[in-house]
């Protein structure tokens, strides 16, 4: 499917775009013109060139998709930031039903856009050099940490990052970020299985109001979508 064929947002559907930064560099001049002064300043604070490119392309792609749906110039779209840093459309647009979330990791950008339901996404490059046991013990629940002990080598690293993206996607959808408490809920860790939210504050029933979805992204990366709906259609676009 081509980007031009996107029919716009539909209720009950989450649209997801995965973009390689290197391939998106051609759009960089266009995206820069659409960002406001605060966004350009934030981008300028990035010390690494790839971080700068990631930010510009992420925010530019978001503006472009919102522009197509709202029938507004991309540069006219305004955002607000919630208490824990989640970006939302400014109330002047009168469209609180439009929900979105973005993520980027070492050259890959992810955008999710939907109507009504809270949504969060996270993408991570699988990095073997990361000391995952210490991070898992600090941030994961005891059950998640124990489940990871069944894996070894590269499989353990992939399982860790799969678990991490599932937890991050959920807390980003909630809107509290890491302040929510990563040990307050549990997800499954199996990298090749469907992503699942198992318990929420020890309540399996509450967890059924949410769904997690493993996304197909570039080789060497893992990604998860979290949405406040038990039954959602996911459309992935190039």
């Amino acid at each position: 499917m081509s980007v031009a064929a996107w029919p716009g947002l539909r209720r009950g559907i989450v649209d997801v775009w995965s973009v390689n930064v290197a391939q998106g560099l051609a759009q960089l001049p266009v995206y820069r013109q659409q960002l406001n002064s605060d966004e350009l300043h934030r981008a300028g604070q990035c010390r690494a060139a790839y971080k700068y490119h990631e930010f510009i392309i992420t925010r530019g792609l978001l503006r472009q998709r919102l522009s197509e749906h709202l029938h507004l110039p991309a540069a006219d779209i305004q955002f607000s930031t919630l208490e824990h840093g989640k970006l939302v459309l400014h109330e002047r647009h009168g469209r609180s039903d439009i929900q979105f979330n973005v993520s980027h990791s070492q050259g890959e950008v992810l955008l999710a856009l939907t109507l009504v339901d809270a949504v969060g996404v996270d993408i991570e490059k699988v990095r073997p050099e990361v000391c995952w046991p210490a991070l898992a013990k600090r941030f994961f629940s005891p059950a998640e940490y124990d489940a990871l002990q069944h894996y070894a080598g590269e499989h353990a690293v992939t399982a860790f990052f799969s678990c991490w993206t599932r937890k991050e996607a959920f807390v980003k959808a909630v809107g509290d970020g890491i302040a929510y408490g990563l040990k307050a809920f549990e997800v499954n860790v199996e990298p090749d299985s469907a992503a699942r939210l198992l318990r929420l504050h020890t309540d399996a029933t509450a967890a059924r109001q949410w769904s997690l979805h493993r996304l197909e992204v570039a080789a060497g990366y893992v990604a998860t979508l979290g949405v406040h709906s038990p039954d959602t259609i996911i459309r992935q676009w190039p």
Side-chain angles (χ1 to χ4, degrees):
M1 291 184 292
S2 67
V3 171
W6 181 52
L9 295 173
R10 299 288 186 272
R11 295 189 185 278
I13 295 176
V14 180
D15 288 299
V16 178
W17 288 266
S18 179
V19 176
N20 177 270
V21 169
Q23 295 175 349
L25 289 179
Q27 286 291 101
L28 209 63
V30 175
Y31 288 156
R32 268 197 299 253
Q33 291 181 348
Q34 296 170 347
L35 270 58
N36 62 34
S37 58
D38 288 340
E39 290 170 322
L40 291 173
H41 175 73
R42 181 175 171 184
Q45 298 297 106
C46 299
R47 294 184 179 180
Y50 82 91
K51 285 287 188 182
Y52 172 82
H53 294 153
E54 280 180 353
F55 183 86
I56 296 288
I57 290 173
T58 300
R59 198 59 65 91
L61 177 65
L62 172 61
R63 284 181 171 276
Q64 190 174 75
R65 293 290 88 86
L66 288 171
S67 169
E68 292 170 5
H69 187 76
L70 295 171
H71 305 292
L72 290 172
D76 290 351
I77 293 171
Q78 295 183 25
F79 301 107
S80 296
T81 304
L82 301 181
E83 180 183 359
H84 293 286
K86 187 171 184 177
L87 201 67
V88 296
L89 267 179
H90 194 280
E91 60 182 12
R92 71 180 291 269
H93 294 299
R95 291 301 304 268
S96 60
D97 60 322
I98 297 178
Q99 301 289 318
F100 57 85
N101 198 233
V102 297
S103 180
H104 48 77
S105 177
Q106 298 196 26
E108 292 291 325
V109 167
L110 200 60
L111 163 65
L113 199 57
T114 189
L115 294 174
V116 181
D117 300 314
V119 67
V121 288
D122 191 57
I123 184 170
E124 298 288 344
K125 183 174 177 60
V126 178
R127 306 186 300 278
E129 72 276 10
V130 169
C131 184
W132 67 264
L135 290 171
K137 191 162 189 176
R138 179 180 177 186
F139 292 111
F140 293 177
S141 73
E144 291 164 341
Y145 178 79
D146 290 343
L148 286 172
Q149 306 311 307
H150 293 90
Y151 296 89
E154 63 182 34
H155 299 293
V157 178
T158 302
F160 166 77
F161 278 105
S162 296
C163 183
W164 185 272
T165 63
R166 291 166 188 176
K167 296 179 80 66
E168 279 289 312
F170 173 73
V171 296
K172 290 176 72 177
V174 171
D176 288 345
I178 202 167
Y180 184 88
L182 292 181
K183 292 187 177 183
F185 63 98
E186 289 180 6
V187 301
N188 66 318
V189 307
E190 303 88 1
D192 297 323
S193 298
R196 291 178 293 135
L197 180 62
L198 303 177
R199 293 179 193 79
L200 183 56
H201 294 295
T202 71
D203 185 350
T205 301
R208 297 191 193 107
Q209 298 173 17
W210 294 79
S211 58
L212 298 178
H213 304 267
R214 181 164 61 94
L215 300 174
E216 295 298 327
V217 289
Y221 294 78
V222 291
T224 303
L225 167 79
V227 60
H228 194 193
S229 171
D231 187 20
T232 302
I233 296 172
I234 311 299
R235 297 191 299 199
Q236 282 197 248
W237 302 84

